[in-house]
Amino acid sequence: FIDPQKLEPSLIALFRRLDIPLNPDRFLTVCVKCNGRIVDQNSDSLTDEQIADEGIPKDVPLYVCSGCGQLFWFSGRANSSAVRSKQLADRLHALINQAKGGSCGHTYSKANAVGGGC
């Protein structure tokens, strides 16, 4: 039972009850538009016009949804969705791992965004 008033304890209970493996390498690897898999994108395959049209900053790693082709990249701005998502993923990972009685020390990072687990 998921109690909407107690989401974090409910999440911990769910992971414990179902013994769900928690793999930080899988965090943020599903497209928000179509649920496709997000994979590395070679920026050399994009034209300057495509980059300009999408508003993609230069010299950043790009990712693409294998389902719908949506492009993704990380922004370092504190209020960006990528940074907020990373912070939430790290916090929930730590809570669940601590409740399972361990501390793997593994935190989510841009380097392992697309792809060990705890």
Side-chain angles (χ1 to χ4, degrees):
F1 171 71
I2 303 292
D3 182 347
Q5 301 301 316
K6 299 177 183 175
L7 287 178
E8 289 177 2
S10 293
L11 180 68
I12 291 167
L14 180 70
F15 270 79
R16 277 184 166 167
R17 177 174 286 159
L18 300 177
D19 196 28
I20 299 171
L22 188 59
N23 186 342
D25 291 340
R26 299 287 311 258
F27 294 172
L28 305 180
T29 60
V30 177
C31 178
V32 296
K33 287 177 73 174
C34 75
N35 288 330
R37 180 104 169 111
I38 297 175
V39 296
D40 289 328
Q41 168 70 35
N42 182 348
S43 61
D44 295 339
S45 66
L46 300 174
T47 67
D48 288 340
E49 184 178 325
Q50 286 174 303
I51 291 173
D53 287 348
E54 292 286 338
I56 301 169
K58 293 198 182 274
D59 301 323
V60 297
L62 297 178
Y63 306 93
V64 65
C65 173
S66 61
C68 69
Q70 172 72 38
L71 287 171
F72 296 92
W73 61 91
F74 282 93
S75 168
R77 293 188 334 262
N79 66 343
S80 73
S81 62
V83 169
R84 291 190 323 267
S85 295
K86 177 203 173 299
Q87 290 169 342
L88 179 59
D90 281 345
R91 189 169 62 79
L92 293 175
H93 174 247
L95 280 173
I96 292 166
N97 196 47
Q98 184 179 31
K100 284 184 167 185
S103 178
C104 72
H106 195 164
T107 58
Y108 172 82
S109 70
K110 286 192 272 188
N112 66 15
V114 179
C118 303

